[in-house]
Amino acid sequence: MQTIPTKAYGASGSILNSLKPMTIERQAPKADEVHIDILYSGVCHSDLHQVKNDWHNTIYPCVPGHEIIGRVIEAGSGVTRFKAGDLVGVGCMVDSCGVCPSCKEKEENYCEGPVSWTATYNGYMKPANEEFNTFGGYSTNIVVKESFVLSIPKELDIKAAAPILCAGVTTYSPLKHWKVGPGQSVGVVGIGGLGHMAVQIARALGATVTAITRDKKKQEAAEQLGAHEVLISTDADAMKAHESKFDFILITIPDAFDVNDYVKLAKRNGVITTVGLLGPYELPLNNMEVAMHRRSVSGSIIGSIAETQEVLEFCAEHHIAPEVQMIKMQDINVAYKNMMDEEVRFRYVIDMQSLKDEA
């Protein structure tokens, strides 16, 4: 089968500062696939986790990137929704089994097939064959099945839209699932790449939103994003005063943490959902605090293709946009260090023209 040589940046191992130029091969589009020229690629904290092999499932070489904005170069003969020149997006998934109950109910992100859904990079979500790999958006182009390609509303700024495809849908999905809306009190824990989207989305859904952060320097930014109140989690008195206040708490912290302090903030019948952490909490959950108030502690992972299209349109309608810092592809290792040091203001986005121009 014809292949397409593609410029990319990837990691050959888990050592930081290891992302470097490489050439990968894309297969020419099949009848149901779309060939996309990548314009912008968001930099997600999970990219950093994956390169470092924090989840012990990384397949190298690893070419990250699952927040992709681009234009269609070519559509396969059976493609009906897209044509050359269309502005499109690709998020965290590029395939799923299509036949399990979750897939049939259009919740591909909970695919129950033997390897779960196929990630945009790093192969299957549950690797079953280390020889199978996929390469993501830190590259000049990508080929994706039509059913996993998103339309980008014309109202969105394409330079800023990429993080909606992960950070946006990852926070929108649980907010919608638990029917967050007017009259509800919502706490958003962690005001970073995911949290800053959650504050804006929850506010647009009509909830009263409290941004919860340990960093006092983020207070002004959280208020500008639409938070009605900012709670500093290191202030014991303030945390005590907010116990049993929230109907819904969305926790976006990407590393292990103690969930118990946040459980106390939920009302009777309140829900606590963690989206940033894929792994155990730092300390065991104290079920006494859960049981005594019939609270629920839950998790959520990304969102379906339908939800991703929905959040793109929701953000366009409500004038919601990620706050981004544009970088060149050649600056990616510095960007990763800044993410580790928490020195990025919400989200980096790579201008992929910088890679195309690289000699």
Side-chain angles (χ1 to χ4, degrees), residues 113-169:
V115 293
S116 188
W117 42 273
T118 305
T120 304
Y121 70 91
N122 202 57
Y124 298 121
M125 185 59 186
K126 298 177 183 175
N129 178 355
E130 292 189 2
E131 294 182 0
F132 175 77
N133 202 357
T134 51
F135 300 119
Y138 294 9
S139 56
T140 54
N141 58 79
I142 192 168
V143 177
V144 180
K145 185 181 291 189
E146 176 187 22
S147 54
F148 285 80
V149 177
L150 292 308
S151 297
I152 304 301
K154 64 181 185 303
E155 296 86 356
L156 292 175
D157 176 359
I158 62 172
K159 292 184 178 180
I164 298 173
L165 296 159
C166 175
V169 73

Side-chain angles (χ1 to χ4, degrees), residues 50-303:
Q50 203 76 74
V51 167
K52 291 170 59 186
N53 197 24
D54 287 340
W55 299 325
H56 308 292
N57 68 344
T58 303
I59 303 170
Y60 297 103
C62 175
V63 176
H66 57 209
E67 299 176 339
I68 299 168
I69 301 289
R71 287 197 183 277
V72 176
I73 299 171
E74 178 187 2
S77 60
V79 171
T80 59
R81 293 173 49 232
F82 303 104
K83 63 183 183 305
D86 285 351
L87 189 65
V88 296
V90 178
C92 301
M93 300 177 286
V94 292
D95 205 356
S96 68
C97 81
V99 297
C100 72
S102 291
C103 287
K104 287 183 176 180
E105 293 170 18
K106 298 193 181 304
E107 290 193 318
E108 307 91 347
N109 50 317
Y110 298 109
C111 176
E112 298 155 51
V115 293
S116 188
W117 42 273
T118 305
T120 304
Y121 70 91
N122 202 57
Y124 298 121
M125 185 59 186
K126 298 177 183 175
N129 178 355
E130 292 189 2
E131 294 182 0
F132 175 77
N133 202 357
T134 51
F135 300 119
Y138 294 9
S139 56
T140 54
N141 58 79
I142 192 168
V143 177
V144 180
K145 185 181 291 189
E146 176 187 22
S147 54
F148 285 80
V149 177
L150 292 308
S151 297
I152 304 301
K154 64 181 185 303
E155 296 86 356
L156 292 175
D157 176 359
I158 62 172
K159 292 184 178 180
I164 298 173
L165 296 159
C166 175
V169 73
T170 297
T171 53
Y172 179 81
S173 179
L175 289 167
K176 288 289 288 185
H177 178 76
W178 276 282
K179 298 179 173 58
V180 167
Q184 290 189 306
S185 179
V186 171
V188 176
V189 182
I191 310 303
L194 271 66
H196 95 287
M197 288 299 297
V199 168
Q200 296 180 82
I201 292 169
R203 172 85 186 229
L205 287 169
T208 299
V209 183
T210 298
I212 305 173
T213 176
R214 65 186 180 188
D215 189 351
K216 292 182 180 179
K217 293 182 292 185
K218 292 188 176 180
Q219 179 164 349
E220 182 179 353
E223 291 170 346
Q224 290 173 349
L225 290 165
H228 296 88
E229 183 184 12
V230 178
L231 171 60
I232 305 302
S233 60
T234 53
D235 184 335
D237 291 338
M239 290 287 281
K240 181 70 176 176
H242 284 75
E243 288 185 2
S244 298
K245 177 176 180 179
F246 298 103
D247 297 289
F248 186 80
I249 299 171
L250 187 66
I251 304 179
T252 68
I253 300 170
D255 300 302
F257 65 95
D258 183 1
V259 71
N260 292 291
D261 289 339
Y262 303 110
V263 170
K264 295 177 183 179
L265 302 180
K267 290 179 180 178
R268 173 174 52 85
N269 296 329
V271 176
I272 303 97
T273 299
T274 298
V275 293
L277 175 66
L278 293 180
Y281 293 117
E282 190 174 64
L283 295 173
L285 176 67
N286 179 358
N287 198 51
M288 178 67 77
E289 288 293 343
V290 177
M292 291 300 290
H293 298 273
R294 201 164 57 191
R295 295 160 169 149
S296 298
V297 178
S298 63
S300 178
I301 189 164
I302 59 171

